[in-house]
Amino acid sequence: MVYLESHETASDYNLALEQYVFDRMPKGESYLMLWQNRSAVIIGKYQNALEELQADYVREHGIQVTRRLSGGGAVYHDLGNINYTFIVDGTLDSSMNLSEFCRPLLDTLRELGIRAELTGRNDICIDGKKISGNAQYSRDGRIMHHGTILYDSDLSVLKEALRVSSDKIVSKGIKSVRSRVANIRDYMDCPVSVQEFFALLRRRMCGGKDAKTYRWTDTDLKEVEKIRAERYGTWEWNWGSSPSCTIRKERRIEGCGSIQVYLDIQNGRIGNCEFYGDFFGQGPSGRLLQALKGCQLSEEALERALAPVDVGSCFYQLSGKQLVELLLQ
């Protein structure tokens, strides 16, 4: 087993690092990577980002959103969370299966006097509460198995960031199955720090032995940065790759009235949009609708598109900033 460790906590960097190991590191070896992300939501490859999180909460709290290569549901990461990745030779229809990859975590918890079990398709639970979700990706005779471990995560942020939107969203994206969650630390008689648990996990996952620790070269790190710049750090991958959907939003704006907006979203961009409500003003002008058509559903892009439009004449006492907030909430 070759042990890999990331000293970065940005989710786009760490997912690029995973892909680099999967694509470029020599076959014939098994790799283990333990890593952490600062506040981030990681969505599955086939999910609609808009369905999986509260976009306004995520934006206001500086939570990074990154799409991974594997399928499955959305998860929240912070520095109270530990992530692990196994990359091995094999295929998903071989003897390698999910339970084998989860066994080291289950054994570590048993060492600590905690009874946990693998449930459903890809979860590890304690007392029926999820403490780890797992996903897999396979290509060209290689398997990537990665999982997230809730050790001492801020569950209040997790619940807000992944709260189901009140908007009506219809899409063909794979929806997350929401589960009750818990932190491992709460089940320990003598809790240890995140760093101590990290060390325990590393030893167990390496089979109780001192695994070879790989030293990243300058060439490795340049290639990782290239992958991040071309994929995981881009709006097109993280948001634009979402399946097409229709969204209905309704908000009451003080001094303006009730506004309903219907959006057709394709590749993360606004296709058609329609406005209804009891607001005052002339209603959406052709110029406003044209400015929105084809625009990325992102704060920067919307502000730029609406800058030359007199939003206040369309919707009385509504500013361009408020309209952007409405479209993104």
Side-chain angles (χ1 to χ4, degrees), residues 18 35 42 68 70-77 81-85 98 101-102 105 117-126 129-136 145-151 158 177 179-182 184 205:
E18 269 193 332
W35 46 288
I42 312 300
R68 61 178 184 265
S70 62
V75 291
Y76 175 73
H77 291 179
N81 182 94
I82 298 171
N83 308 294
Y84 69 97
T85 305
L98 187 144
F101 293 105
C102 294
L105 174 57
E117 59 181 349
L118 184 63
T119 63
R121 184 182 58 170
N122 59 346
D123 295 341
I124 296 176
C125 294
I126 301 173
K129 295 181 180 180
K130 179 177 175 178
I131 55 92
S132 176
N134 295 264
Q136 291 182 342
H145 176 108
H146 43 199
T148 179
I149 304 167
L150 294 171
Y151 181 71
L158 179 155
V177 177
S179 306
R180 291 190 304 159
V181 295
I184 293 169
M205 286 188 162

Side-chain angles (χ1 to χ4, degrees), residues 167-218:
D167 296 322
K168 177 65 175 177
I169 302 177
V170 179
S171 83
K172 296 181 180 179
I174 304 299
K175 296 177 178 61
S176 294
V177 177
R178 307 298 177 185
S179 306
R180 291 190 304 159
V181 295
N183 280 315
I184 293 169
R185 193 178 192 278
D186 294 338
Y187 291 89
M188 296 178 66
D189 293 331
C190 299
V192 298
S193 68
V194 175
Q195 292 74 24
E196 289 172 308
F197 184 76
F198 192 105
L200 285 170
L201 196 60
R202 172 182 171 172
R203 186 173 66 249
R204 169 56 68 178
M205 286 188 162
C206 291
K209 302 174 183 177
D210 291 328
K212 295 182 290 183
T213 301
Y214 182 77
R215 293 183 180 275
W216 303 107
T217 67
D218 288 343

Side-chain angles (χ1 to χ4, degrees), residues 48-50 67 235-236 238-245 264-271 292 294-298 301-302 328:
N48 189 325
L50 296 171
R67 185 181 300 274
W235 179 92
E236 287 75 13
N238 296 317
W239 295 88
S241 294
S242 293
S244 297
C245 65
D264 288 328
I265 306 297
Q266 299 172 1
N267 299 320
R269 296 175 182 270
I270 298 173
L292 291 176
C295 186
Q296 288 182 3
L297 202 60
S298 68
L302 287 168
L328 292 176

Side-chain angles (χ1 to χ4, degrees), residues 266-285:
Q266 299 172 1
N267 299 320
R269 296 175 182 270
I270 298 173
N272 295 317
C273 59
E274 297 178 359
F275 292 86
Y276 301 93
D278 62 4
F279 52 83
F280 291 107
Q282 69 180 27
S285 67

Side-chain angles (χ1 to χ4, degrees), residues 263-328:
L263 300 170
D264 288 328
I265 306 297
Q266 299 172 1
N267 299 320
R269 296 175 182 270
I270 298 173
N272 295 317
C273 59
E274 297 178 359
F275 292 86
Y276 301 93
D278 62 4
F279 52 83
F280 291 107
Q282 69 180 27
S285 67
R287 189 176 184 188
L288 182 142
L289 295 177
Q290 190 60 36
L292 291 176
K293 189 174 179 65
C295 186
Q296 288 182 3
L297 202 60
S298 68
E299 184 173 14
E300 182 180 348
L302 287 168
E303 287 179 348
R304 186 168 58 247
L306 291 172
V309 179
D310 184 3
V311 173
S313 68
C314 300
F315 307 98
Y316 180 64
Q317 289 194 350
L318 186 73
S319 67
K321 179 177 173 56
Q322 287 175 306
L323 180 55
V324 170
E325 290 174 350
L326 167 62
L327 294 171
L328 292 176

